Amino acid sequence: MRSDPTDFELIAPGTLHAVVSLLANEPGQWLPIAGGTDVMVQYAAGKLPARKLISIWNLPELRGIEILRGEIRIGAGCTYTELREHNVIAQEFPLLASAARWTGGIANQNRGTLGGNIVNASPAADSLPALLAYEAELIVASIRGERRIPYLGFHTGYKKMNLASDELIRAISLERRFSGYLHYARKVGAREAQAISKVCVAALGRLRDGVIEDVRIAVGSVAPVPLRLTELEEMLKGKTVEPELLQLARKMAAAAIKPIDDIRSTAKYRAAVAGNLVAEFLGQLRDGAKAA
Ligand SMILES: Cc1cc2nc3c(=O)[nH]c(=O)nc-3n(C[C@H](O)[C@H](O)[C@H](O)COP(=O)(O)OP(=O)(O)OC[C@H]3O[C@@H](n4cnc5c(N)ncnc54)[C@H](O)[C@@H]3O)c2cc1C
């Protein structure tokens, strides 16, 4: 059933303090809306439970990308277009730049925000595997102040997360320590853009003397939450990339995920593709080292 606009209230207090004060004073009453690209889809479908919306779009405290010596802090209100066009992100965090490029069309990229992608918590969200691979930290704000939490573990189940109803994500922090790594990103969908992923992988790796020294592999669309394949990562460390290792990695990746059959794909296809992408990443890691 279509929503009746007169049933809804939308306010835009304009400062972070005013927003978090209202969230704290009227617990559970107000739903933050940033770019609205997820919220408005729910609204148009008549499935938006909230009736009171509080705009955080363009809130100055959630804007901008701060470049510090050891980390960058991406305002949660940054759009995909801003991420795509930022030099430091393109050079040092290409997994995130790729995810931004893949997220919907240009109109969606001008409006959709990184904070919205995290809190909307779709298992198929394109930016989340990149945040897992880079071991992002979330800077969360409320009337009580700020806390920093690792993104790994933030999503605790399907659409469940470690965020209180009076908290906002203010920024996402990434450590600047990935030069010398291979950055591997692949989205498998009906098309690369304008399609929801069947499987997406974000991975990072570094060899030393031909041996895997560090590796991080994150996969989306294959479980209720995006996954880091930590058991596989531990198995890979200290090994050289031989055909037998690729076979084992393929099997371990397929076994570690919990894909489902849905309208976009089947569990069997997703498991096979996830294994193939992990093997492709490891092959590139080996070949990149040979070429260097
Ligand atoms: C046509 C179309 C194509 C799309 N394609 C893709 C795609 O390819 N890949 C993909 O991953 N997604 C895709 N999306 C989904 C969507 O664009 C993203 O999830 C986007 O990042 C949501 O951001 P937003 O600012 O619009 O969120 P909103 O719709 O404003 O909010 C989404 C949720 O996040 C909460 N929220 C937003 N910001 C914060 C914050 N800072 N702190 C706390 N809570 C917050 C809101 O309360 C709400 O619950 C698509 C959407 C559309 C309509």
Side-chain angles (χ1 to χ4, degrees), residues 23 30-42 48 53-54 56-57 62 75-80 99 102-105 108-109 111-122 124-128 161 163-164 167-172 187 192-197:
L23 293 179
W30 293 90
L31 180 74
I33 174 169
T37 61
D38 284 313
V39 168
M40 291 311 288
V41 170
Q42 285 179 279
L48 187 62
L53 303 177
I54 184 163
I56 56 171
W57 176 251
L62 271 57
C78 279
T79 64
Y80 295 108
W102 292 333
T103 300
N108 198 68
Q109 291 173 9
R111 198 71 203 180
T113 64
L114 187 55
N117 204 226
I118 298 169
V119 177
N120 185 57
S122 161
D126 283 309
S127 66
L128 305 184
M161 66 206 85
L163 188 73
E167 288 181 316
L168 286 181
I169 298 183
R170 189 179 70 71
I172 296 93
K187 168 174 180 166
E192 195 170 76
Q194 299 275 35
I196 299 174
S197 301

Short mmCIF file of all heavy atoms in Angstrom, two decimals, residues 23 30-42 48 53-54 56-57 62 75-80 99 102-105 108-109 111-122 124-128 161 163-164 167-172 187 192-197, ligand 1:
data_model
loop_
_atom_site.label_atom_id
_atom_site.label_comp_id
_atom_site.label_asym_id
_atom_site.label_seq_id
_atom_site.Cartn_x
_atom_site.Cartn_y
_atom_site.Cartn_z
N LEU A 23 17.42 12.46 19.63
CA LEU A 23 17.43 10.98 19.65
C LEU A 23 17.44 10.47 21.10
O LEU A 23 16.82 9.46 21.42
CB LEU A 23 18.64 10.43 18.89
CG LEU A 23 18.67 10.65 17.36
CD1 LEU A 23 19.96 10.07 16.78
CD2 LEU A 23 17.46 10.05 16.67
N TRP A 30 12.54 8.72 16.51
CA TRP A 30 12.99 9.39 15.28
C TRP A 30 13.93 8.50 14.49
O TRP A 30 14.86 7.91 15.04
CB TRP A 30 13.73 10.70 15.63
CG TRP A 30 12.83 11.71 16.23
CD1 TRP A 30 12.55 11.89 17.55
CD2 TRP A 30 12.05 12.68 15.52
NE1 TRP A 30 11.65 12.91 17.71
CE2 TRP A 30 11.33 13.42 16.49
CE3 TRP A 30 11.90 13.01 14.17
CZ2 TRP A 30 10.46 14.46 16.13
CZ3 TRP A 30 11.05 14.05 13.83
CH2 TRP A 30 10.33 14.75 14.80
N LEU A 31 13.71 8.41 13.18
CA LEU A 31 14.62 7.66 12.31
C LEU A 31 15.50 8.65 11.54
O LEU A 31 14.98 9.50 10.80
CB LEU A 31 13.81 6.83 11.29
CG LEU A 31 14.67 6.02 10.33
CD1 LEU A 31 15.29 4.81 11.03
CD2 LEU A 31 13.87 5.56 9.11
N PRO A 32 16.85 8.53 11.70
CA PRO A 32 17.71 9.40 10.91
C PRO A 32 17.57 9.07 9.42
O PRO A 32 17.43 7.91 9.04
CB PRO A 32 19.13 9.04 11.39
CG PRO A 32 18.94 8.35 12.70
CD PRO A 32 17.62 7.67 12.62
N ILE A 33 17.59 10.10 8.60
CA ILE A 33 17.61 9.89 7.15
C ILE A 33 18.76 10.71 6.58
O ILE A 33 18.86 11.91 6.83
CB ILE A 33 16.24 10.23 6.49
CG1 ILE A 33 16.33 10.15 4.97
CG2 ILE A 33 15.67 11.56 6.93
CD1 ILE A 33 14.98 10.20 4.25
N ALA A 34 19.65 10.03 5.86
CA ALA A 34 20.82 10.71 5.26
C ALA A 34 20.47 10.98 3.80
O ALA A 34 19.68 11.87 3.49
CB ALA A 34 22.06 9.85 5.44
N GLY A 35 21.03 10.19 2.86
CA GLY A 35 20.69 10.39 1.44
C GLY A 35 19.28 9.92 1.11
O GLY A 35 18.70 10.33 0.10
N GLY A 36 18.75 9.03 1.92
CA GLY A 36 17.37 8.55 1.73
C GLY A 36 17.23 7.47 0.66
O GLY A 36 16.11 7.04 0.37
N THR A 37 18.34 6.96 0.12
CA THR A 37 18.20 6.01 -1.01
C THR A 37 17.69 4.64 -0.56
O THR A 37 17.16 3.90 -1.39
CB THR A 37 19.53 5.86 -1.79
OG1 THR A 37 20.53 5.35 -0.90
CG2 THR A 37 19.99 7.16 -2.40
N ASP A 38 17.85 4.32 0.70
CA ASP A 38 17.20 3.11 1.23
C ASP A 38 15.87 3.47 1.89
O ASP A 38 14.86 2.81 1.67
CB ASP A 38 18.11 2.40 2.24
CG ASP A 38 19.24 1.63 1.56
OD1 ASP A 38 18.95 0.90 0.59
OD2 ASP A 38 20.39 1.78 1.97
N VAL A 39 15.88 4.54 2.70
CA VAL A 39 14.66 4.90 3.43
C VAL A 39 13.51 5.20 2.45
O VAL A 39 12.37 4.77 2.65
CB VAL A 39 14.94 6.12 4.35
CG1 VAL A 39 13.63 6.69 4.91
CG2 VAL A 39 15.85 5.72 5.51
N MET A 40 13.81 5.92 1.37
CA MET A 40 12.72 6.33 0.46
C MET A 40 12.18 5.14 -0.34
O MET A 40 11.01 5.16 -0.75
CB MET A 40 13.20 7.45 -0.48
CG MET A 40 13.44 8.77 0.23
SD MET A 40 12.10 9.30 1.33
CE MET A 40 10.84 9.76 0.14
N VAL A 41 13.02 4.11 -0.53
CA VAL A 41 12.52 2.90 -1.19
C VAL A 41 11.50 2.23 -0.27
O VAL A 41 10.41 1.83 -0.72
CB VAL A 41 13.69 1.95 -1.55
CG1 VAL A 41 13.17 0.59 -2.00
CG2 VAL A 41 14.58 2.57 -2.63
N GLN A 42 11.82 2.18 1.02
CA GLN A 42 10.88 1.59 1.99
C GLN A 42 9.60 2.43 2.06
O GLN A 42 8.49 1.90 2.12
CB GLN A 42 11.50 1.55 3.39
CG GLN A 42 12.54 0.48 3.59
CD GLN A 42 13.08 0.58 5.00
OE1 GLN A 42 13.93 1.39 5.31
NE2 GLN A 42 12.53 -0.22 5.89
N LEU A 48 7.78 1.61 5.48
CA LEU A 48 8.62 2.35 6.43
C LEU A 48 7.89 2.42 7.76
O LEU A 48 6.87 3.10 7.87
CB LEU A 48 8.89 3.76 5.88
CG LEU A 48 9.88 4.61 6.67
CD1 LEU A 48 11.26 3.97 6.69
CD2 LEU A 48 9.96 6.00 6.08
N LEU A 53 10.92 11.42 10.88
CA LEU A 53 12.24 11.34 10.26
C LEU A 53 13.04 12.58 10.62
O LEU A 53 12.53 13.70 10.57
CB LEU A 53 12.11 11.25 8.74
CG LEU A 53 11.28 10.09 8.20
CD1 LEU A 53 11.17 10.16 6.69
CD2 LEU A 53 11.89 8.76 8.62
N ILE A 54 14.31 12.34 10.95
CA ILE A 54 15.19 13.46 11.29
C ILE A 54 16.34 13.46 10.29
O ILE A 54 17.07 12.49 10.17
CB ILE A 54 15.66 13.36 12.77
CG1 ILE A 54 16.49 14.57 13.15
CG2 ILE A 54 16.43 12.09 13.07
CD1 ILE A 54 16.63 14.75 14.66
N ILE A 56 19.78 13.96 8.55
CA ILE A 56 21.20 14.18 8.88
C ILE A 56 21.98 14.48 7.59
O ILE A 56 23.20 14.49 7.59
CB ILE A 56 21.80 12.97 9.64
CG1 ILE A 56 21.64 11.66 8.85
CG2 ILE A 56 21.17 12.83 11.01
CD1 ILE A 56 22.40 10.48 9.47
N TRP A 57 21.27 14.67 6.50
CA TRP A 57 21.89 15.01 5.21
C TRP A 57 22.59 16.36 5.34
O TRP A 57 22.01 17.31 5.88
CB TRP A 57 20.79 15.07 4.13
CG TRP A 57 21.26 15.50 2.78
CD1 TRP A 57 20.97 16.69 2.17
CD2 TRP A 57 22.08 14.77 1.86
NE1 TRP A 57 21.56 16.73 0.92
CE2 TRP A 57 22.24 15.57 0.71
CE3 TRP A 57 22.68 13.51 1.90
CZ2 TRP A 57 23.00 15.15 -0.39
CZ3 TRP A 57 23.42 13.10 0.80
CH2 TRP A 57 23.57 13.91 -0.32
N LEU A 62 29.23 15.43 9.90
CA LEU A 62 29.29 14.13 9.22
C LEU A 62 29.88 14.26 7.81
O LEU A 62 29.88 13.31 7.04
CB LEU A 62 27.88 13.52 9.11
CG LEU A 62 27.39 12.63 10.25
CD1 LEU A 62 27.42 13.35 11.58
CD2 LEU A 62 26.01 12.09 9.97
N GLY A 75 33.77 11.13 6.78
CA GLY A 75 32.49 11.49 7.39
C GLY A 75 31.42 10.50 6.93
O GLY A 75 31.37 10.15 5.75
N ALA A 76 30.57 10.06 7.88
CA ALA A 76 29.56 9.05 7.52
C ALA A 76 28.60 9.59 6.47
O ALA A 76 27.96 8.82 5.74
CB ALA A 76 28.79 8.64 8.77
N GLY A 77 28.50 10.92 6.36
CA GLY A 77 27.60 11.52 5.37
C GLY A 77 28.24 11.70 4.00
O GLY A 77 27.63 12.30 3.11
N CYS A 78 29.46 11.18 3.81
CA CYS A 78 30.09 11.29 2.48
C CYS A 78 29.36 10.41 1.48
O CYS A 78 28.98 9.28 1.79
CB CYS A 78 31.55 10.85 2.54
SG CYS A 78 32.58 12.15 3.18
N THR A 79 29.20 10.93 0.29
CA THR A 79 28.49 10.18 -0.75
C THR A 79 29.49 9.32 -1.54
O THR A 79 30.70 9.54 -1.48
CB THR A 79 27.80 11.14 -1.73
OG1 THR A 79 28.83 11.90 -2.40
CG2 THR A 79 26.83 12.07 -1.03
N TYR A 80 28.94 8.41 -2.30
CA TYR A 80 29.78 7.57 -3.17
C TYR A 80 30.54 8.42 -4.18
O TYR A 80 31.68 8.12 -4.51
CB TYR A 80 28.92 6.52 -3.88
CG TYR A 80 28.33 5.55 -2.90
CD1 TYR A 80 26.99 5.57 -2.60
CD2 TYR A 80 29.14 4.65 -2.22
CE1 TYR A 80 26.45 4.72 -1.66
CE2 TYR A 80 28.61 3.80 -1.28
CZ TYR A 80 27.28 3.83 -1.02
OH TYR A 80 26.76 2.99 -0.07
N ALA A 99 34.07 -0.06 -4.77
CA ALA A 99 32.71 -0.27 -4.24
C ALA A 99 31.84 0.94 -4.52
O ALA A 99 30.68 0.81 -4.90
CB ALA A 99 32.78 -0.56 -2.74
N TRP A 102 30.64 0.99 -8.03
CA TRP A 102 29.67 -0.07 -8.34
C TRP A 102 28.29 0.18 -7.75
O TRP A 102 27.35 -0.55 -8.03
CB TRP A 102 30.15 -1.41 -7.75
CG TRP A 102 31.35 -1.97 -8.37
CD1 TRP A 102 31.79 -1.75 -9.65
CD2 TRP A 102 32.30 -2.86 -7.76
NE1 TRP A 102 32.94 -2.45 -9.86
CE2 TRP A 102 33.27 -3.14 -8.71
CE3 TRP A 102 32.40 -3.43 -6.49
CZ2 TRP A 102 34.34 -3.98 -8.46
CZ3 TRP A 102 33.46 -4.26 -6.24
CH2 TRP A 102 34.42 -4.53 -7.21
N THR A 103 28.20 1.15 -6.82
CA THR A 103 26.95 1.28 -6.06
C THR A 103 25.91 2.07 -6.85
O THR A 103 25.96 3.29 -6.90
CB THR A 103 27.23 1.92 -4.69
OG1 THR A 103 28.14 1.07 -4.00
CG2 THR A 103 25.97 2.03 -3.86
N GLY A 104 24.99 1.36 -7.50
CA GLY A 104 23.90 2.00 -8.24
C GLY A 104 24.41 2.86 -9.38
O GLY A 104 25.55 2.72 -9.84
N GLY A 105 23.55 3.79 -9.84
CA GLY A 105 23.92 4.69 -10.92
C GLY A 105 24.41 6.02 -10.37
O GLY A 105 24.57 6.18 -9.15
N ASN A 108 22.25 7.74 -7.72
CA ASN A 108 22.37 7.07 -6.42
C ASN A 108 23.71 7.39 -5.75
O ASN A 108 23.79 7.58 -4.54
CB ASN A 108 22.23 5.56 -6.64
CG ASN A 108 21.90 4.84 -5.36
OD1 ASN A 108 20.82 5.01 -4.83
ND2 ASN A 108 22.85 4.10 -4.84
N GLN A 109 24.76 7.48 -6.57
CA GLN A 109 26.09 7.78 -6.01
C GLN A 109 26.16 9.23 -5.50
O GLN A 109 26.93 9.53 -4.60
CB GLN A 109 27.16 7.53 -7.07
CG GLN A 109 27.30 6.05 -7.38
CD GLN A 109 28.22 5.76 -8.54
OE1 GLN A 109 28.91 6.65 -9.04
NE2 GLN A 109 28.24 4.51 -8.99
N ARG A 111 23.85 10.68 -3.92
CA ARG A 111 22.96 10.82 -2.78
C ARG A 111 23.25 9.79 -1.67
O ARG A 111 23.18 10.11 -0.49
CB ARG A 111 21.54 10.62 -3.33
CG ARG A 111 20.42 11.08 -2.53
CD ARG A 111 20.29 12.57 -2.44
NE ARG A 111 19.54 12.83 -1.23
CZ ARG A 111 19.18 13.99 -0.76
NH1 ARG A 111 19.54 15.10 -1.38
NH2 ARG A 111 18.50 14.09 0.36
N GLY A 112 23.58 8.56 -2.06
CA GLY A 112 23.80 7.50 -1.07
C GLY A 112 25.08 7.75 -0.28
O GLY A 112 26.08 8.20 -0.83
N THR A 113 25.06 7.45 1.02
CA THR A 113 26.20 7.73 1.88
C THR A 113 26.80 6.43 2.44
O THR A 113 26.12 5.40 2.53
CB THR A 113 25.79 8.63 3.07
OG1 THR A 113 24.86 7.90 3.90
CG2 THR A 113 25.16 9.93 2.60
N LEU A 114 28.06 6.55 2.86
CA LEU A 114 28.73 5.38 3.44
C LEU A 114 28.06 4.99 4.76
O LEU A 114 27.83 3.80 5.03
CB LEU A 114 30.22 5.70 3.64
CG LEU A 114 31.10 4.55 4.08
CD1 LEU A 114 31.01 3.35 3.14
CD2 LEU A 114 32.57 5.00 4.19
N GLY A 115 27.72 5.97 5.59
CA GLY A 115 27.04 5.67 6.86
C GLY A 115 25.72 4.95 6.62
O GLY A 115 25.37 4.00 7.33
N GLY A 116 24.99 5.38 5.60
CA GLY A 116 23.71 4.74 5.28
C GLY A 116 23.89 3.30 4.84
O GLY A 116 23.11 2.42 5.19
N ASN A 117 24.95 3.03 4.09
CA ASN A 117 25.23 1.66 3.64
C ASN A 117 25.52 0.76 4.84
O ASN A 117 25.05 -0.38 4.90
CB ASN A 117 26.42 1.68 2.67
CG ASN A 117 26.44 0.50 1.71
OD1 ASN A 117 27.48 -0.11 1.53
ND2 ASN A 117 25.34 0.15 1.09
N ILE A 118 26.26 1.29 5.82
CA ILE A 118 26.61 0.49 7.01
C ILE A 118 25.34 0.19 7.82
O ILE A 118 25.08 -0.95 8.20
CB ILE A 118 27.65 1.23 7.88
CG1 ILE A 118 28.95 1.44 7.11
CG2 ILE A 118 27.91 0.46 9.18
CD1 ILE A 118 29.94 2.38 7.79
N VAL A 119 24.54 1.22 8.07
CA VAL A 119 23.39 1.03 8.99
C VAL A 119 22.22 0.35 8.29
O VAL A 119 21.47 -0.39 8.91
CB VAL A 119 23.00 2.37 9.65
CG1 VAL A 119 21.78 2.20 10.54
CG2 VAL A 119 24.17 2.90 10.48
N ASN A 120 22.10 0.52 6.99
CA ASN A 120 21.04 -0.23 6.29
C ASN A 120 21.32 -1.73 6.35
O ASN A 120 20.41 -2.54 6.34
CB ASN A 120 20.94 0.23 4.83
CG ASN A 120 19.78 -0.43 4.14
OD1 ASN A 120 18.64 -0.33 4.58
ND2 ASN A 120 20.06 -1.19 3.08
N ALA A 121 22.62 -2.08 6.43
CA ALA A 121 23.05 -3.44 6.79
C ALA A 121 22.54 -4.53 5.85
O ALA A 121 22.19 -5.62 6.30
CB ALA A 121 22.65 -3.75 8.24
N SER A 122 22.52 -4.23 4.56
CA SER A 122 22.18 -5.30 3.62
C SER A 122 23.37 -6.26 3.54
O SER A 122 24.52 -5.82 3.45
CB SER A 122 21.91 -4.70 2.24
OG SER A 122 22.02 -5.71 1.25
N ALA A 124 24.24 -7.69 1.07
CA ALA A 124 24.80 -7.50 -0.27
C ALA A 124 25.43 -6.12 -0.44
O ALA A 124 25.83 -5.75 -1.55
CB ALA A 124 23.70 -7.69 -1.32
N ALA A 125 25.51 -5.33 0.63
CA ALA A 125 26.04 -3.96 0.51
C ALA A 125 27.47 -4.00 -0.02
O ALA A 125 28.30 -4.78 0.47
CB ALA A 125 25.99 -3.28 1.86
N ASP A 126 27.77 -3.15 -0.99
CA ASP A 126 29.06 -3.27 -1.68
C ASP A 126 30.25 -2.71 -0.90
O ASP A 126 31.37 -3.15 -1.11
CB ASP A 126 28.97 -2.57 -3.04
CG ASP A 126 28.23 -3.43 -4.04
OD1 ASP A 126 28.59 -4.61 -4.18
OD2 ASP A 126 27.26 -2.94 -4.66
N SER A 127 30.02 -1.71 -0.02
CA SER A 127 31.19 -1.11 0.64
C SER A 127 31.66 -1.91 1.85
O SER A 127 32.77 -1.74 2.32
CB SER A 127 30.88 0.33 1.06
OG SER A 127 29.89 0.34 2.05
N LEU A 128 30.80 -2.81 2.36
CA LEU A 128 31.12 -3.44 3.65
C LEU A 128 32.30 -4.41 3.59
O LEU A 128 33.15 -4.39 4.50
CB LEU A 128 29.86 -4.09 4.24
CG LEU A 128 28.66 -3.12 4.38
CD1 LEU A 128 27.48 -3.81 5.06
CD2 LEU A 128 29.04 -1.85 5.12
N MET A 161 22.85 -4.77 14.69
CA MET A 161 24.17 -4.17 14.84
C MET A 161 24.36 -3.57 16.22
O MET A 161 23.38 -3.33 16.94
CB MET A 161 24.39 -3.11 13.76
CG MET A 161 23.50 -1.91 13.85
SD MET A 161 23.25 -1.13 12.25
CE MET A 161 21.90 -2.11 11.61
N LEU A 163 24.67 -0.76 17.68
CA LEU A 163 24.42 0.69 17.64
C LEU A 163 23.14 0.97 18.42
O LEU A 163 22.08 0.41 18.08
CB LEU A 163 24.26 1.14 16.18
CG LEU A 163 24.20 2.64 15.91
CD1 LEU A 163 25.59 3.29 16.08
CD2 LEU A 163 23.69 2.93 14.50
N ALA A 164 23.24 1.83 19.44
CA ALA A 164 22.03 2.15 20.23
C ALA A 164 21.12 3.08 19.43
O ALA A 164 21.57 3.75 18.50
CB ALA A 164 22.46 2.80 21.55
N GLU A 167 22.26 6.63 18.90
CA GLU A 167 23.61 6.86 18.35
C GLU A 167 23.57 7.04 16.84
O GLU A 167 22.74 6.44 16.15
CB GLU A 167 24.52 5.67 18.68
CG GLU A 167 24.91 5.59 20.15
CD GLU A 167 25.83 4.40 20.43
OE1 GLU A 167 25.57 3.29 19.92
OE2 GLU A 167 26.79 4.58 21.17
N LEU A 168 24.54 7.82 16.37
CA LEU A 168 24.76 7.97 14.93
C LEU A 168 26.19 7.54 14.62
O LEU A 168 27.08 7.70 15.46
CB LEU A 168 24.69 9.44 14.51
CG LEU A 168 23.34 10.14 14.46
CD1 LEU A 168 23.57 11.58 14.00
CD2 LEU A 168 22.41 9.42 13.49
N ILE A 169 26.42 7.03 13.42
CA ILE A 169 27.81 6.88 12.98
C ILE A 169 28.24 8.26 12.49
O ILE A 169 27.56 8.88 11.66
CB ILE A 169 27.93 5.84 11.85
CG1 ILE A 169 27.47 4.48 12.38
CG2 ILE A 169 29.37 5.77 11.35
CD1 ILE A 169 27.61 3.35 11.40
N ARG A 170 29.30 8.78 13.09
CA ARG A 170 29.78 10.10 12.67
C ARG A 170 30.84 9.98 11.58
O ARG A 170 30.86 10.74 10.63
CB ARG A 170 30.35 10.88 13.86
CG ARG A 170 30.64 12.33 13.49
CD ARG A 170 31.19 13.14 14.63
NE ARG A 170 32.54 12.78 15.03
CZ ARG A 170 33.64 13.02 14.33
NH1 ARG A 170 33.57 13.61 13.16
NH2 ARG A 170 34.83 12.66 14.79
N ALA A 171 31.74 8.99 11.73
CA ALA A 171 32.83 8.87 10.75
C ALA A 171 33.36 7.44 10.74
O ALA A 171 33.07 6.65 11.63
CB ALA A 171 33.96 9.84 11.10
N ILE A 172 34.11 7.16 9.69
CA ILE A 172 34.72 5.84 9.51
C ILE A 172 36.22 6.10 9.40
O ILE A 172 36.65 6.89 8.57
CB ILE A 172 34.19 5.16 8.23
CG1 ILE A 172 32.68 4.89 8.37
CG2 ILE A 172 34.92 3.85 7.94
CD1 ILE A 172 31.79 5.96 7.84
N LYS A 187 33.01 -7.69 -8.02
CA LYS A 187 31.57 -7.82 -7.76
C LYS A 187 31.01 -8.69 -8.86
O LYS A 187 31.22 -8.39 -10.04
CB LYS A 187 30.92 -6.44 -7.79
CG LYS A 187 29.39 -6.45 -7.82
CD LYS A 187 28.84 -5.02 -7.71
CE LYS A 187 27.31 -4.99 -7.75
NZ LYS A 187 26.76 -3.70 -7.31
N GLU A 192 27.92 -5.12 -13.64
CA GLU A 192 28.82 -4.65 -12.59
C GLU A 192 28.14 -3.54 -11.76
O GLU A 192 28.24 -3.51 -10.54
CB GLU A 192 30.12 -4.13 -13.21
CG GLU A 192 31.21 -3.98 -12.18
CD GLU A 192 32.54 -3.71 -12.80
OE1 GLU A 192 32.78 -2.57 -13.24
OE2 GLU A 192 33.35 -4.65 -12.87
N ALA A 193 27.48 -2.59 -12.43
CA ALA A 193 26.78 -1.53 -11.70
C ALA A 193 25.28 -1.71 -11.90
O ALA A 193 24.86 -2.46 -12.77
CB ALA A 193 27.23 -0.16 -12.20
N GLN A 194 24.50 -1.01 -11.11
CA GLN A 194 23.04 -1.05 -11.21
C GLN A 194 22.50 -2.47 -11.00
O GLN A 194 21.51 -2.85 -11.61
CB GLN A 194 22.56 -0.54 -12.58
CG GLN A 194 22.94 0.87 -12.89
CD GLN A 194 21.93 1.85 -12.31
OE1 GLN A 194 21.37 1.63 -11.23
NE2 GLN A 194 21.70 2.95 -12.98
N ALA A 195 23.23 -3.27 -10.25
CA ALA A 195 22.73 -4.62 -9.95
C ALA A 195 23.21 -4.99 -8.56
O ALA A 195 24.30 -4.60 -8.15
CB ALA A 195 23.28 -5.63 -10.96
N ILE A 196 22.37 -5.73 -7.84
CA ILE A 196 22.78 -6.17 -6.50
C ILE A 196 23.72 -7.36 -6.67
O ILE A 196 23.52 -8.21 -7.54
CB ILE A 196 21.53 -6.53 -5.67
CG1 ILE A 196 20.66 -5.27 -5.55
CG2 ILE A 196 21.92 -7.05 -4.30
CD1 ILE A 196 19.34 -5.50 -4.88
N SER A 197 24.75 -7.41 -5.82
CA SER A 197 25.77 -8.47 -5.95
C SER A 197 25.18 -9.85 -5.72
O SER A 197 24.34 -10.03 -4.83
CB SER A 197 26.85 -8.28 -4.88
OG SER A 197 27.45 -7.05 -4.99
C1 LIG B 1 18.51 2.41 -7.38
C2 LIG B 1 19.34 1.97 -6.21
C3 LIG B 1 20.50 1.23 -6.44
C4 LIG B 1 21.29 0.81 -5.38
N1 LIG B 1 22.42 0.09 -5.65
C5 LIG B 1 23.20 -0.33 -4.62
C6 LIG B 1 24.38 -1.10 -4.88
O1 LIG B 1 24.73 -1.40 -6.03
N2 LIG B 1 25.14 -1.49 -3.82
C7 LIG B 1 24.81 -1.15 -2.52
O2 LIG B 1 25.54 -1.51 -1.60
N3 LIG B 1 23.68 -0.42 -2.25
C8 LIG B 1 22.88 -0.01 -3.26
N4 LIG B 1 21.74 0.71 -2.99
C9 LIG B 1 21.38 0.99 -1.58
C10 LIG B 1 21.73 2.41 -1.04
O3 LIG B 1 21.97 3.35 -2.06
C11 LIG B 1 22.94 2.36 -0.10
O4 LIG B 1 22.73 1.44 0.95
C12 LIG B 1 23.27 3.76 0.49
O5 LIG B 1 24.58 3.74 0.96
C13 LIG B 1 22.34 4.20 1.62
O6 LIG B 1 22.76 5.48 2.06
P1 LIG B 1 21.72 6.64 2.35
O7 LIG B 1 22.48 7.81 2.85
O8 LIG B 1 20.85 6.88 1.17
O9 LIG B 1 20.86 5.96 3.53
P2 LIG B 1 19.40 6.31 4.06
O10 LIG B 1 18.38 5.72 3.14
O11 LIG B 1 19.28 7.76 4.38
O12 LIG B 1 19.42 5.50 5.43
C14 LIG B 1 19.55 4.09 5.46
C15 LIG B 1 19.55 3.62 6.91
O13 LIG B 1 20.73 4.05 7.54
C16 LIG B 1 20.45 4.88 8.68
N5 LIG B 1 21.52 5.89 8.70
C17 LIG B 1 21.98 6.60 7.62
N6 LIG B 1 23.08 7.29 7.97
C18 LIG B 1 23.30 7.03 9.28
C19 LIG B 1 24.30 7.44 10.22
N7 LIG B 1 25.30 8.27 9.89
N8 LIG B 1 24.24 6.97 11.48
C20 LIG B 1 23.25 6.11 11.86
N9 LIG B 1 22.28 5.69 11.01
C21 LIG B 1 22.32 6.14 9.74
C22 LIG B 1 19.05 5.40 8.47
O14 LIG B 1 18.39 5.68 9.68
C23 LIG B 1 18.41 4.21 7.75
O15 LIG B 1 18.04 3.24 8.68
C24 LIG B 1 20.92 1.14 -4.03
C25 LIG B 1 19.75 1.89 -3.80
C26 LIG B 1 18.97 2.29 -4.87
C27 LIG B 1 17.71 3.09 -4.59
#
